[in-house]
Amino acid sequence: MSENTEVVVIGGGYAGVMAADRLTRRADVTVTLVNPRPAFVHRIRLHQLAAGTGGAVVDYREVLADGVRLVVDTAARIDAAGRRVALTSGGSVGYDYLVYAVGSGSADPLVPGAAEFGHPIADLEGAERLRRALADAPATAAVTVVGAGPTGIETAAELAEAGRAVTLVCGGVLGPYLHPRGRLSVAARLARLGVAVLDGPGTGVAAVTRDAVRLDDGRELPSRVTVWTAGFGVPDLAARSGLSTDSLGRLLTDETLTSVDDPRIVAAGDSAAPSGVPLRMSCQAAMPLGARAADTVLSRIAGDRPDPLNQPFGAQCISLGRGEGIFQFANRSDVAVRFALDGRLGAKLKEAVCTGVVRHLADEAHSPGGYRLHRVPGGAARQRLLRGAGARAAGAPEPAGPAR
C-alpha cells in the first residue's frame, strides 16, 4: 500500500457523511465522498418539505469536513478486484478502502398504478414532486397517504395540520413499531387533526388510479393526491457489482461491517446487513454505523483488530405535525415498551433529535472522532438476535420476542 491511503465513501447521507468526517482523523488518509447531489438531504424532514412547513436541505459545508473531496456523481459499479468505482459520468475513482453507504429509498411498488400515480417521499426529488402536486391541487382535494409506519404517520399529520383532507391507509396496524399505549396516543392526535385512519383487515391497497385508491375489501377512496410510503428498498449497486447481499439487496458483512467478500469494503447505514441481521433503517442507526465503519477502516490501516458492532437502541420518535409528537421508548432489543412521552413534549424531543442530527455531523466534521459510540456491556441483545437468526436458518422454530 502507498504511504497515503485512499478511502472512497459511496453515499452522502447520515452514515456516509459521518464515516467520511471520521476518517479525516488521520492526516495520511485521503477521503473522497461520491454522492449524486451537491447538498446534504436531511431525510427525516422530507415530510416537512413536502407539506411546505420546513426545509430538508443542508449545505455540505455545514456537515462535511474540509478535508473531504466531494464528487457529485453516481456510482455505476464497484470493481472490487481493481479497487475502482465506475461513475455514471464515465469517469472512475480508485480506492484502497471503500465505505458502502448508499442508503435506502422507496421500494418499487407492485400494486397496479402505484408507481405511476403514487408519490413516494423517501428522497428529495420525490418530496419536491409531491410538494408541486399538492400546490396544484385545491386545498379541499382528497389526499391519501398509504403506509402507516413513521413516514406515513408524519406525512399524514403534517399535511392535515396544514389544512389538507387526509386519509391514512394502514394496510394493517397503525404504527406497527409502537407499543399499544403509544398507538392509542398517535391515533388520538390524528383524530384531532381530522385524519381518517383506515386500519385492520381489508385495508391493503389493491390499485391506485389518477383520482382514487382501491382497497382490498373493495372500497374506493377518492384521492386527488396519493402519497406512497409503504416499504423501503436499497439500491442494487452491490448486487450489480457481484458482491454478496441479503434478499433486500443490502451488502452482507461480518460484525465489524466488513464485506464477506472483500476486506477492503466496509458497509454502513441502511444498505448494510451485518451477519444477515440488519439494524432498523433509521438515522438513529445510520450515524453510529457510519462511525463504526470508519473506525473499522482506521483500525485496518493501523494494523489493529476492528471492534465488532455493539450498538443499542433506545427509542423511536415521530412528529405529529408541528405541535405534537411521540417519543416511544424501547428496550435494547429495539422493542417498544409501555413508556412514551407524547404531546408538546414529544414534539420538542423530536425537534431536538432533528436538530441534533445535523449538529452531530457538524461536530464530527470539525472534531473528527468526537462522536461517541455507546456500547452495551457484552452486547447481549445483539448476540441473542444473532443466535436466533442462526437457529432460524437451521430450521429451528421462531423464538419468542422479548417481553414488552
Side-chain angles (χ1 to χ4, degrees), residues 8 46 84 86 94 109 149 179 181 188 234 245 280 283 309 311 329 403:
V8 171
L46 284 175
R84 297 199 71 81
H179 187 274
R181 290 186 66 178
V234 299
T245 66
R280 170 165 49 87
C283 71
L309 180 64
Q311 181 64 32
F329 286 87

Side-chain angles (χ1 to χ4, degrees), residues 12-63:
Y14 300 113
V17 170
M18 176 58 75
D21 287 342
R22 201 171 182 90
L23 285 163
T24 62
R25 294 173 71 180
R26 288 185 61 126
D28 60 349
V29 172
T30 300
V31 185
T32 299
L33 177 66
V34 178
N35 191 65
R37 303 177 190 87
F40 175 77
V41 177
H42 198 4
R43 186 170 169 181
I44 56 177
R45 289 199 188 275
L46 284 175
H47 62 287
Q48 291 179 249
L49 186 150
T53 58
V57 178
V58 178
D59 195 308
Y60 268 127
R61 288 176 294 184
E62 295 185 32
V63 296

Side-chain angles (χ1 to χ4, degrees), residues 309-323:
L309 180 64
N310 188 3
Q311 181 64 32
F313 282 91
Q316 182 182 87
C317 48
I318 301 174
S319 65
L320 299 168
R322 296 300 85 207

Side-chain angles (χ1 to χ4, degrees), residues 193-381:
L193 289 171
V195 177
V197 176
L198 303 183
D199 59 356
T203 59
V205 176
V208 179
T209 65
R210 188 180 304 277
D211 55 9
V213 171
R214 190 169 73 249
L215 303 184
D216 287 340
D217 62 9
R219 281 179 288 177
E220 189 162 293
L221 313 174
S223 183
R224 174 68 178 268
V225 179
T226 300
V227 187
W228 193 268
T229 73
F232 288 98
V234 299
D236 64 352
L237 175 62
R240 282 189 286 112
S241 301
L243 298 170
S244 297
T245 66
D246 69 0
S247 59
L248 195 63
R250 291 171 288 212
L251 184 69
L252 283 174
T253 75
D254 63 14
E255 286 294 286
T256 70
L257 301 180
T258 303
S259 166
V260 297
D261 302 310
D262 190 329
R264 299 279 180 162
I265 299 177
V266 178
D270 291 353
S271 54
S275 303
V277 184
L279 279 66
R280 170 165 49 87
M281 290 184 177
S282 64
C283 71
Q284 184 184 15
M287 289 201 304
L289 284 173
R292 175 63 63 204
D295 287 354
T296 291
V297 172
L298 292 172
S299 293
R300 293 195 186 283
I301 293 172
D304 299 330
R305 176 178 294 181
D307 288 331
L309 180 64
N310 188 3
Q311 181 64 32
F313 282 91
Q316 182 182 87
C317 48
I318 301 174
S319 65
L320 299 168
R322 296 300 85 207
E324 295 191 27
I326 185 168
F327 197 88
Q328 171 68 75
F329 286 87
N331 62 25
R332 287 176 174 175
S333 295
D334 197 27
V335 176
V337 298
R338 290 172 63 85
F339 185 51
L341 299 173
D342 54 14
R344 292 185 179 277
L345 179 57
K348 289 181 179 179
L349 289 170
K350 174 60 189 286
E351 182 58 29
V353 168
C354 291
T355 303
V357 165
V358 174
R359 187 180 67 250
H360 282 312
L361 294 175
D363 288 347
E364 189 70 15
H366 296 134
S367 301
Y371 180 77
R372 183 181 176 188
L373 281 168
H374 299 283
R375 295 180 61 84
V376 181

